[in-house]
Structures are given as structure tokens and as C-alpha cells.
């Protein structure tokens, strides 16, 4: 169809009268074009090329006709003869069409024409990042829970535990877990600083988010081991619920860490000076 | 070299005059006096005081996940259900809709094991279900024909894993109870027929029947049947006189006077350790009453019985007993084959994918494949396949997955009941940038519907699992 369209374009440029005779009533479109052809005044035109009513002959033949008569064939043959003789001035529609056939490269260009809706959709996602498949926090917890490289099993265990949390509390389990970890996690730990002299000093060190998460989650896993059920997912769920309610043994550990750090608060300066 | 054994041991002052040459001075030591009574010899008896004190373990349950979720009644924490119609033949519309069971039907279905483990019923206050195209089709193909002969109304439900075969069986029972009324229907439901063959029951041989009977199993099933169908059974008078003995005392029930319910309550023959005709009398009574009351026989996981007929039980010569040689299985196969016909009723069977897929018995029985005379006996049981092909064969009912509209409707219901959480997309946190949080719930929900529908292919079991148990 792009061949026909291009023929018309060339014809209108070189021979305006011929173009007006052969121009069909509807606009021509390339195959598989996303552009719509509907005309508001006459949405369903009888001579629409995409309509199934138009014969195949008329679709192949450039002139908008439903059938091909003997006269048309004669005109076509005469145009072929003229072109064979080496005629360079193309006058009739048949001559223009056949002349274009000898130069097909221009019709083989593969161009994509997005629709307005597609352009809008692209615009809507223009300043957005590709979302991650899973929650990064949950991924980190799964990795800490994993043993012997069995990640799917670890993910299943955590999913089951969160399902029980959801059943018991009837809240979004991810929110519950994040809140629990946040309230359980310590904010500072103590570390031994080598002074290269006789006495090493213990200094308080602030923890970043990932380190805090790790401490809290390992305490939860430790607490889960003391539960009754033989299923890790049930034990874990129980410990998460207890921690959420502020009853976990992890809170004592957190308090102890904070106490030790507070006792060593005078060495904060030392640490900053060393760095 | 002086050897230790040849040493001369010179005694001390206490043993002056005694020339002791001995390598075992301990023999000279005075014997210890026994104090207190002689202790009895034997193995050490266990007592709590002997054991080291175990650390006390806290926690709400000792159950594993599946049992914990099923047994601990966590549905009591669920929010109240939004108003949805009861599942009823009249309420079945062209479009799919969420439905629940009326309280009496729900109680009956619970007693029969209609709500199984792993179906996520604990998420809701009461069991809910989606009545969709499958329900409507089964209504036309099975429930509407319950007033005809049961041998012409035999359906076998098949479909992919987690597509809702057991749920459809439960829906059918609920619809039948609602349509005919709980006092005018007899429901015979077997939720796990595997218990007939898995060696968990006692068994005795009945020479008169030529079949093995399983007293414990039969007694328990009859008890369930009696509870669920109590209202109907109380209206059905016995059609034959019957005599039996209870604790050595003879009991006689008269036809036309006593009811079938009285027979089931008073007769203890089902659980008797000696061969009896109690269950056969019961079946004959069902057959006689099926002229007035439809009898619905439903067997979930039927292929566990039909495709694995070699049981765990043994003959006296230690060969395995075939499933058809048990009274209860024989009854089910007779119903499924149409050999036992109820004047009004139907037989609904359902497949399960929780077993090996390499069996061919049901494929031949459903006329899906041709009989292979060289097939391994382990994979193909000709006797059962031929039984099921009798009387026109069992009709297959293939379940279809949910449509996208169904998926959207189901997920919207979960969203309304607080089951489904609409979360923003996960993105990598940018600590240097403080972004204002904004999310369109409706758009995010639509994205979620598209995602879940594509990833689960409209299989409701996977859809639910992916929505509530996938993090």
C-alpha cells in the first residue's frame, strides 16, 4: 500500500491532473499502520481500501476501481510498451505507477509511527524508574534467613511467617515487620579501638540502616529458635508478633548495647580524632 | 628383670606375722557394710525427676504451618464480610459474583469436610466463593438433572492444579442443599477416599458379601452422614423391618413406623468388630428412598482411589487387597459405574493433581485415550476402567480458568476485605533525594490485576497464593 501512496505522491507532484483522477476517496495507509482512518463525516465509506468489500484487483491496481475492464488492461499494456521504448516523461497514471515499480528501495524503509496514545504513555513513564521485582528489605532478610543456598525455601519460610502475622494482626505484614525491626534495632554499638599503646579503648560506633536491620533480624531469629513449633515459619511468626508487641528478648540486648555505648561515650572524641 | 607380679609385699605393722605375698591387696580390704534396704536390680525406671530439666519453650502452638493455619481459628480476627448474596441456584447470574453459604449449609459442609486445608478460608470471617462460569455450567449439566436417574447423571471434574475442583464440589453441594432444601436431600460426600486404601483402618472379611469391611472408617463416615442429613433422615420411614442387637439386647425396628435416622442412631453394627449387613441395609434404604428424595454422591480426589487401587491392606496370604474388595470402595465404584442407581440423584467425582500423573486408568475411563493391552498393570487398571465405562460412561467436566474480569472482581473483593494490600512499586532508596510519596490506588490496583492475571493465568489458587503469600 505504501507503493500506491508513494505513486500518488509522485503523481501529484509531477502531474496534478492525473493525481486528482486516480486519488481514492479515502487516505491511503501503509500496512499495519497505527494511524486511524476514520472520517467523522462518513465513518464507514464504501470505497475504503481496508474494507473487505473492495476487491483484491482494485487494491493492487492503483486506480480506485472495483473491477478491471478490458480497457484498463489495454491502457496498462500500452504503458508497458511505452516505458520499454525508453519514455522518460510519464503522463498517464499507469505509466507513473509502473515507473515507480522499478525503484522499490524507497518503499522498503521500515519506519515505526507511534500513535498519540503511545506517545502519551511514554510521557507518563518518562521520569519514572523501573520498579524492582521485590522489596529490597525483604530480600536482605531472606538472605540472612537462608541456609545452604536454598533461597526459595528461605523466601517461602518468610512468606508463610508473614501470612501468619497477617492472620493474627490483620495488618499489612510488611509494615508490621518493618516497624518491628525499626523499634527493635539498636542505633549504636561498641567497638575496640587499637591505640598501638598499652591500652586499647572501647568506643561507641553509630550503626547505619543495614547494620541496624541485621542486628534486629538476627535477634528475632535467635528468639524464634526458642519457640515450641517444629516449623521455622510458625516460630518466626510468633517471634515477630511478640517483638511487635514489645515482648521480645531482643529489647534487653538492645538496652545492653546502648548502656555499654553510653558508658564509653567519653571516647567518642578519640574515635573522631583517629579518623 | 623384676616382674611386678613376683614382688614380695611386706606387710605393715598391722599385719605383723602374716607373710602376705599378693598382687591383689584389695582382697584384704574389709567389706563395706550395707546400709539401708537392698536395692532391687533392674532397668532404671523413667521419671520426670531423673531427667535433666529442659528449658521451657514458649509459643502459641506446637503445630506446623498447615495445621496451625487450619486449626487455630484465626478466622475470628477477620473483618466483617461485606454484604454478598448466598450461593443459590436462583442467584446464579450470567456474570460472575462473590457468594457465601447460608449458615445452615455452611455448618453442614464443614462437618463433611467441604472446606479443606490449604484453601485459605482462614482469611475470611466465613467461607466465601466466586460463582463463575464453571458454577453455572455445572448447574446446567449436573444439578438440574438431579431429579433424574443417577446412572445418567455422572460427572467427573477435571482441570489444572489449584483451579478450584474441590471448591466446585463444595459449591455443588451447597447449591443442591439450597435448591432442594436441607430436609429433602441426602448428601453422601467423601472428601478423602484415600483413607479407604491407605491402611489406617481395621478390616475384617465378610464371607456373605465376599468383601472386606472397615468398621472404624464406616462408623465415622456414617456418623458424619447422620449429622449432616439429620433433617431429611427423620422424615424417611424404614421400608423394611430390621433386627439387630445392641450390647446383647435385641432391637427391632418396624417398617413404616421407625425412621432411617433411628436406625442409624441405634444400630451399632457399622463399627462392629464382626461382619455385619448393617451398611448394605443402609444402602438399600437409600435406594428405596431415592424415589422421593434426591441422593447426591460426591467423591473428591476420586483418582486416588481409581488410579491407585492396590491398597496397603493384605490378604491372609500376604498379597495386597484390591480397592474393589472393600465394602466402602465397592459402594463408590458401583455408584460411579451406574451399577447402583438412585431413582433421583447424581454422582459427582473430582480429580486431584496431588498424585502422580503417570496413571492411565481415568484417561481410558473418560474415553480420552484408547485401551492399551500392553500397559503396565501398575499404571492401568482395566477392571476399574471398564467399570466406569459402563452405562454410557462418566461425563468429563473440564474446568476453565478465570477470565480477566473474574480476576478483577475477585481481587477487588479481597481489597475490600483487607486481604489484598496495594503497595507502591519497590524502588531503590535514594538517600540524597527526599521524594514526595504519591500513588494512585486505582491505577496500582489495575497494574496488580494485569500482573497477577498474566503470572497466574487465571488459576484462582495461584492467584490467592500470589496475592497473600508471596513476598
Amino acid at each position: 500500500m505504501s507503493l500506491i501512496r508513494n505513486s500518488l505522491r509522485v503523481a501529484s507532484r509531477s502531474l496534478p491532473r492525473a493525481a486528482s483522477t486516480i486519488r481514492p476517496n479515502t487516505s491511503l495507509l501503509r500496512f499495519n499502520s497505527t494511524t486511524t482512518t476514520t472520517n467523522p463525516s462518513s465513518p464507514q465509506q464504501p470505497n475504503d481500501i481496508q474494507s473487505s468489500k473492495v476487491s483484491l484487483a482494485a487494491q493492487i491496481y492503483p486506480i480506485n476501481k472495483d473491477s478491471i475492464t478490458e480497457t484498463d488492461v489495454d491502457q496498462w499494456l500500452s504503458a508497458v510498451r511505452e516505458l520499454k521504448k525508453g519514455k522518460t516523461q510519464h503522463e498517464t497514471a499507469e505509466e507513473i505507477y509502473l515507473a515507480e515499480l522499478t525503484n522499490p528501495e524507497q518503499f522498503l524503509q521500515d519506519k515505526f509511527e507511534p500513535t498519540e496514545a503511545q506517545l502519551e504513555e511514554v510521557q507518563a513513564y518518562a521520569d519514572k524508574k523501573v520498579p524492582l521485582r521485590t522489596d529490597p528489605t525483604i530480600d536482605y532478610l531472606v538472605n540472612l534467613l537462608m541456609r545452604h543456598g536454598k533461597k526459595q525455601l528461605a523466601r517461602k519460610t518468610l512468606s508463610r511467617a508473614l501470612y501468619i502475622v497477617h492472620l493474627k494482626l490483620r495488618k499489612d505484614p510488611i509494615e508490621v515487620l518493618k516497624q518491628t525491626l525499626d523499634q527493635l534495632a539498636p542505633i549504636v554499638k561498641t567497638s575496640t579501638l587499637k591505640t598501638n599503646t598499652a591500652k586499647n579503648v572501647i568506643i561507641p560506633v553509630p550503626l547505619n540502616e543495614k547494620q541496624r536491620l541485621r542486628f534486629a533480624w538476627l535477634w528475632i531469629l535467635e528468639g524464634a529458635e526458642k519457640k515450641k513449633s517444629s516449623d521455622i515459619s510458625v516460630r518466626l511468626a510468633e517471634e515477630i508478633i511478640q517483638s511487635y508487641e514489645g515482648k521480645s528478648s531482643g529489647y534487653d540486648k538492645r538496652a545492653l548495647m546502648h548502656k555499654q555505648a553510653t558508658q564509653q561515650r567519653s571516647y567518642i572524641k578519640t574515635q573522631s580524632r583517629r579518623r | 628383670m623384676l616382674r611386678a607380679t613376683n614382688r614380695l609385699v611386706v606387710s605393715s605393722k598391722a599385719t605383723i606375722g602374716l607373710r602376705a605375698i599378693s598382687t591383689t591387696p584389695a582382697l584384704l580390704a574389709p567389706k563395706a557394710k550395707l546400709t539401708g534396704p537392698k536395692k532391687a536390680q533392674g532397668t532404671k525406671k523413667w521419671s520426670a525427676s531423673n531427667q535433666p530439666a529442659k528449658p521451657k519453650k514458649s509459643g502459641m502452638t506446637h503445630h506446623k504451618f498447615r495445621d496451625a493455619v487450619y486449626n487455630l481459628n484465626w478466622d475470628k480476627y477477620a473483618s466483617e464480610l461485606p454484604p454478598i448474596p448466598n450461593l443459590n441456584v436462583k442467584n446464579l447470574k450470567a456474570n460472575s459474583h462473590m457468594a457465601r453459604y447460608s449458615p445452615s449449609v455452611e455448618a453442614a459442609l464443614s462437618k463433611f469436610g467441604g472446606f479443606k486445608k490449604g484453601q485459605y478460608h482462614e482469611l475470611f470471617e466465613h467461607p466465601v466463593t466466586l460463582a463463575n462460569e464453571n458454577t453455572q455450567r455445572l448447574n446446567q449439566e449436573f444439578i438440574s438433572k438431579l431429579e433424574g436417574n443417577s446412572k445418567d447423571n455422572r460427572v467427573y471434574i477435571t482441570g489444572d492444579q489449584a483451579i478450584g475442583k474441590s471448591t466446585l464440589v463444595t459449591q455443588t453441594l451447597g447449591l443442591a442443599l439450597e435448591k432442594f432444601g436441607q430436609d429433602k436431600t441426602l448428601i453422601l460426600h467423601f472428601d478423602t477416599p484415600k483413607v479407604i486404601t491407605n491402611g489406617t483402618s481395621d478390616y475384617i472379611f465378610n464371607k456373605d458379601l465376599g468383601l472386606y469391611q472397615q468398621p472404624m472408617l464406616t462408623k465415622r463416615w456414617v456418623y458424619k452422614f447422620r449429622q449432616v442429613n439429620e433433617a431429611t433422615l427423620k422424615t424417611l420411614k424404614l421400608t423394611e423391618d430390621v433386627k439387630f442387637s445392641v450390647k446383647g439386647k435385641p432391637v427391632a425396628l418396624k417398617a413404616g413406623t421407625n425412621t432411617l435416622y433411628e436406625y442409624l442412631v441405634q444400630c451399632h453394627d457399622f463399627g462392629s468388630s464382626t461382619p455385619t449387613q448393617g451398611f448394605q441395609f443402609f444402602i438399600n434404604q437409600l435406594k428405596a428412598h431415592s424415589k422421593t428424595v434426591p441422593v447426591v454422591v460426591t467423591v473428591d480426589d476420586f483418582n486416588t482411589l481409581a488410579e491407585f487401587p492396590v491398597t496397603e491392606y493384605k490378604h491372609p496370604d500376604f498379597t495386597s487387597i484390591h480397592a474393589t474388595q472393600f465394602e466402602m470402595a465397592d459402594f463408590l465404584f458401583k455408584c460411579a459405574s451406574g451399577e447402583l442407581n438412585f431413582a433421583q440423584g447424581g454422582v459427582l467425582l473430582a480429580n486431584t493433581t496431588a498424585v502422580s500423573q503417570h496413571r492411565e486408568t481415568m484417561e481410558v475411563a473418560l474415553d480420552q485415550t484408547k485401551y492399551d493391552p500392553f500397559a503396565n498393570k501398575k499404571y492401568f487398571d482395566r477392571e476399574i476402567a471398564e467399570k466406569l465405562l459402563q452405562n454410557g460412561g462418566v461425563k468429563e467436566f473440564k474446568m476453565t480458568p478465570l477470565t480477566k474480569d473474574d480476576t478483577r472482581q475477585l481481587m477487588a473483593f479481597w481489597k475490600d476485605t483487607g486481604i489484598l494490600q496495594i503497595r507502591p512499586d519497590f524502588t531503590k532508596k535514594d538517600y540524597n533525594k527526599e521524594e514526595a510519596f504519591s500513588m494512585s490506588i486505582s491505577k496500582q490496583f489495575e497494574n496488580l490485576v494485569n500482573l497477577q492475571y498474566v503470572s497466574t493465568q487465571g488459576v484462582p489458587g495461584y492467584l490467592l497464593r500470589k496475592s497473600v503469600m508471596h513476598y
Side-chain angles (χ1 to χ4, degrees):
Chain A
M1 293 306 291
S2 56
L3 179 67
I4 299 166
R5 187 177 55 202
N6 214 300
S7 303
L8 287 171
R9 191 163 47 78
V10 173
S12 62
R13 209 166 47 224
S14 59
L15 195 66
R17 202 177 57 188
S20 62
T21 54
I22 62 171
R23 187 184 292 278
N25 293 334
T26 56
S27 60
L28 294 172
L29 293 172
R30 68 170 171 79
F31 174 69
N32 205 18
S33 171
T34 52
T35 313
T36 53
T37 58
T38 49
N39 189 350
S41 58
S42 57
Q44 194 65 36
Q45 294 197 13
N47 293 330
D48 192 345
I49 286 172
Q50 290 191 336
S51 164
S52 60
K53 287 177 184 175
V54 179
S55 67
L56 184 65
Q59 286 183 45
I60 294 165
Y61 201 63
I63 298 167
N64 188 23
K65 286 183 178 178
D66 285 347
S67 59
I68 299 169
T69 60
E70 283 294 319
T71 325
D72 295 330
V73 177
D74 289 343
Q75 282 176 0
W76 183 276
L77 289 171
S78 66
V80 172
R81 277 188 220 108
E82 290 294 322
L83 289 172
K84 269 188 175 179
K85 284 175 191 171
K87 188 179 179 181
T88 50
Q89 284 287 332
H90 308 135
E91 291 165 358
T92 63
E94 288 79 11
E95 282 174 6
I96 294 165
Y97 184 81
L98 287 168
E100 289 295 322
L101 278 179
T102 58
N103 186 22
E105 284 79 14
Q106 56 183 317
F107 309 115
L108 298 176
Q109 291 173 4
D110 192 13
K111 279 185 182 173
F112 173 68
E113 296 169 16
T115 60
E116 285 183 8
Q118 285 172 335
L119 289 170
E120 276 176 21
E121 202 175 345
V122 169
Q123 195 58 38
Y125 286 100
D127 54 343
K128 287 191 177 173
K129 295 172 190 170
V130 176
L132 300 173
R133 190 174 150 266
T134 44
D135 191 339
T137 311
I138 296 295
D139 278 347
Y140 182 58
L141 302 182
V142 165
N143 285 343
L144 287 176
L145 185 62
M146 178 170 66
R147 289 288 176 272
H148 312 297
K150 295 187 175 180
K151 191 160 185 169
Q152 195 52 42
L153 182 64
R155 190 171 285 281
K156 184 178 168 185
T157 303
L158 184 61
S159 294
R160 284 181 162 192
L162 292 179
Y163 180 66
I164 292 176
V165 171
H166 171 59
L167 288 179
K168 278 282 281 182
L169 303 177
R170 298 288 164 175
K171 289 176 184 171
D172 183 359
I174 296 279
E175 288 302 315
V176 169
L177 182 61
K178 284 183 178 174
Q179 194 182 327
T180 308
L181 290 169
D182 194 44
Q183 67 193 27
L184 183 64
I187 52 173
V188 66
K189 71 168 184 176
T190 48
S191 174
T192 311
L193 182 74
K194 287 191 176 178
T195 54
N196 295 329
T197 55
K199 191 183 172 190
N200 292 338
V201 290
I202 297 169
I203 53 162
V205 180
L207 298 171
N208 65 23
E209 196 176 334
K210 200 170 179 182
Q211 289 168 330
R212 292 186 65 218
L213 206 63
R214 182 186 163 85
F215 269 109
W217 185 239
L218 292 183
W219 288 340
I220 287 178
L221 292 180
E222 201 181 319
E225 286 308 309
K226 291 170 190 164
K227 302 291 174 195
K228 210 185 292 177
S229 174
S230 59
D231 196 332
I232 175 68
S233 55
V234 178
R235 294 201 302 268
L236 191 57
E238 288 175 353
E239 184 63 22
I240 291 170
I241 293 166
Q242 275 199 346
S243 304
Y244 179 69
E245 291 165 352
K247 297 173 191 167
S248 172
S249 58
Y251 288 103
D252 299 336
K253 290 171 187 164
R254 175 171 163 266
L256 190 66
M257 274 181 81
H258 285 182
K259 193 178 169 188
Q260 283 175 348
T262 316
Q263 285 168 350
Q264 305 297 330
R265 62 185 178 277
S266 57
Y267 290 105
I268 293 173
K269 221 171 183 181
T270 313
Q271 183 197 8
S272 57
R273 206 183 306 136
R274 295 285 297 182
R275 282 182 179 175
Chain B
M1 193 174 125
L2 185 66
R3 293 177 65 185
T5 48
N6 296 336
R7 275 190 302 164
L8 182 68
V9 178
V10 181
S11 59
S12 62
K13 279 186 181 177
T15 56
I16 287 174
L18 177 69
R19 203 163 162 261
I21 302 171
S22 171
T23 55
T24 54
L27 288 172
L28 297 173
K31 282 186 180 177
K33 284 180 182 176
L34 288 173
T35 53
K38 220 176 184 182
K39 280 184 183 174
Q41 284 188 339
T43 53
K44 197 177 181 183
K45 284 184 181 175
W46 184 89
S47 70
S49 58
N50 293 336
Q51 300 297 315
K54 281 184 182 174
K56 195 181 175 184
K57 293 201 167 187
S58 61
M60 55 190 169
T61 180
H62 63 279
H63 286 301
K64 289 194 173 185
F65 176 76
R66 275 171 71 88
D67 294 328
V69 163
Y70 187 69
N71 291 322
L72 296 180
N73 298 326
W74 284 329
D75 49 355
K76 67 188 172 194
Y77 300 117
S79 59
E80 201 176 330
L81 285 175
I84 48 173
N86 285 346
L87 186 68
N88 199 324
V89 178
K90 291 171 193 170
N91 291 340
L92 282 183
K93 300 165 196 167
N95 297 331
S96 309
H97 67 280
M98 294 302 300
R100 58 183 289 184
Y101 299 98
S102 62
S104 56
V105 171
E106 189 188 317
L109 292 173
S110 299
K111 280 175 191 165
F112 250 143
F115 307 117
K116 288 184 160 184
K117 245 185 226 178
Q119 289 186 337
Y120 301 93
H121 290 298
E122 62 279 352
L123 283 169
F124 306 98
E125 190 187 15
H126 295 283
V128 288
T129 188
L130 178 76
N132 65 350
E133 186 249 332
N134 289 318
T135 319
Q136 291 155 19
R137 204 151 52 88
L138 197 63
N139 180 36
Q140 289 166 5
E141 293 183 19
F142 181 75
I143 298 168
S144 61
K145 294 178 186 171
L146 281 176
E147 282 152 333
N149 282 332
S150 72
K151 68 175 182 180
D152 303 326
N153 190 13
R154 292 176 289 144
V155 175
Y156 188 79
I157 302 172
T158 59
D160 295 337
Q161 191 179 22
I163 205 162
K165 298 179 285 295
S166 299
T167 305
L168 190 60
V169 171
T170 309
Q171 281 185 351
T172 311
L173 290 178
L175 285 170
L177 285 171
E178 290 283 359
K179 184 179 179 184
F180 297 101
Q182 276 185 279
D183 56 345
K184 285 170 188 171
T185 330
L186 284 171
I187 302 285
L188 285 80
H189 180 61
F190 293 82
D191 60 331
T192 46
K194 202 180 175 184
V195 292
I196 299 172
T197 60
N198 67 359
T200 52
S201 176
D202 54 345
Y203 62 113
I204 47 172
F205 188 66
N206 188 327
K207 281 182 185 172
D208 297 338
L209 294 172
L211 294 170
Y212 282 93
Q213 291 179 322
Q214 294 162 296
M216 281 200 306
L217 176 77
T218 314
K219 182 181 75 176
R220 282 172 190 163
W221 183 82
V222 167
Y223 177 71
K224 274 191 203 174
F225 169 82
R226 196 184 81 198
Q227 278 198 315
V228 173
N229 298 292
E230 186 178 340
T232 313
L233 290 169
K234 280 181 177 172
T235 63
L236 302 176
K237 304 281 183 192
L238 292 176
T239 56
E240 290 174 49
D241 290 347
V242 64
K243 286 179 185 173
F244 50 87
S245 60
V246 179
K247 292 178 184 174
K249 290 179 183 175
V251 178
L253 298 179
K254 286 187 177 179
T257 312
N258 297 101
T259 62
L260 190 53
Y261 183 75
E262 286 173 50
Y263 171 72
L264 293 176
V265 170
Q266 292 181 29
C267 181
H268 292 183
D269 283 357
F270 306 110
S272 167
S273 57
T274 52
T276 63
Q277 295 290 332
F279 193 70
Q280 295 302 318
F281 177 80
F282 165 67
I283 293 168
N284 290 335
Q285 286 296 305
L286 288 181
K287 205 176 167 184
H289 287 298
S290 65
K291 290 166 192 165
T292 53
V293 175
V295 179
V296 187
V297 182
T298 51
V299 189
D300 199 3
D301 303 353
F302 183 71
N303 57 331
T304 56
L305 194 62
E307 295 188 329
F308 300 84
V310 179
T311 65
E312 299 295 324
Y313 300 98
K314 304 288 183 189
H315 286 296
D317 61 357
F318 216 68
T319 53
S320 295
I321 304 175
H322 197 265
T324 49
Q325 290 174 291
F326 283 99
E327 190 182 33
M328 191 68 94
D330 180 62
F331 165 66
L332 294 181
F333 281 124
K334 277 180 178 169
C335 290
S337 65
E339 194 181 333
L340 177 63
N341 179 38
F342 296 110
Q344 285 184 57
V347 181
L348 184 68
L349 313 169
N351 190 52
T352 178
T353 52
V355 290
S356 168
Q357 295 293 307
H358 304 296
R359 302 293 191 268
E360 292 170 10
T361 311
M362 283 314 297
E363 286 179 13
V364 175
L366 295 172
D367 220 3
Q368 290 172 342
T369 54
K370 287 183 180 176
Y371 159 58
D372 176 13
F374 301 105
N376 191 332
K377 204 176 177 184
K378 186 182 172 186
Y379 300 113
F380 174 65
D381 195 298
R382 187 179 168 184
E383 187 191 348
I384 290 174
E386 282 180 348
K387 256 179 193 273
L388 297 174
L389 281 168
Q390 287 173 9
N391 298 306
V394 183
K395 193 179 169 190
E396 188 190 1
F397 180 92
K398 192 154 180 63
M399 286 188 73
T400 52
L402 300 177
T403 61
K404 195 168 176 183
D405 289 336
D406 289 351
T407 308
R408 188 179 291 107
Q409 192 176 5
L410 201 54
M411 289 180 75
F413 178 78
W414 295 339
K415 184 165 76 78
D416 295 342
T417 46
I419 303 301
L420 183 71
Q421 308 293 337
I422 310 290
R423 301 188 186 94
D425 287 334
F426 304 122
T427 48
K428 204 168 182 183
K429 203 172 177 182
D430 191 351
Y431 293 95
N432 299 324
K433 208 172 172 184
E434 201 61 41
E435 286 179 3
F437 174 75
S438 66
M439 180 185 71
S440 165
I441 298 283
S442 58
K443 272 189 182 176
Q444 192 70 2
F445 174 71
E446 197 55 35
N447 285 345
L448 204 59
V449 169
N450 290 332
L451 179 73
Q452 307 288 51
Y453 180 67
V454 171
S455 62
T456 62
Q457 292 293 296
V459 176
Y462 294 160
L463 187 69
L464 190 51
R465 198 181 304 166
K466 195 136 185 11
S467 300
V468 298
M469 257 186 65
H470 188 84
Y471 298 102

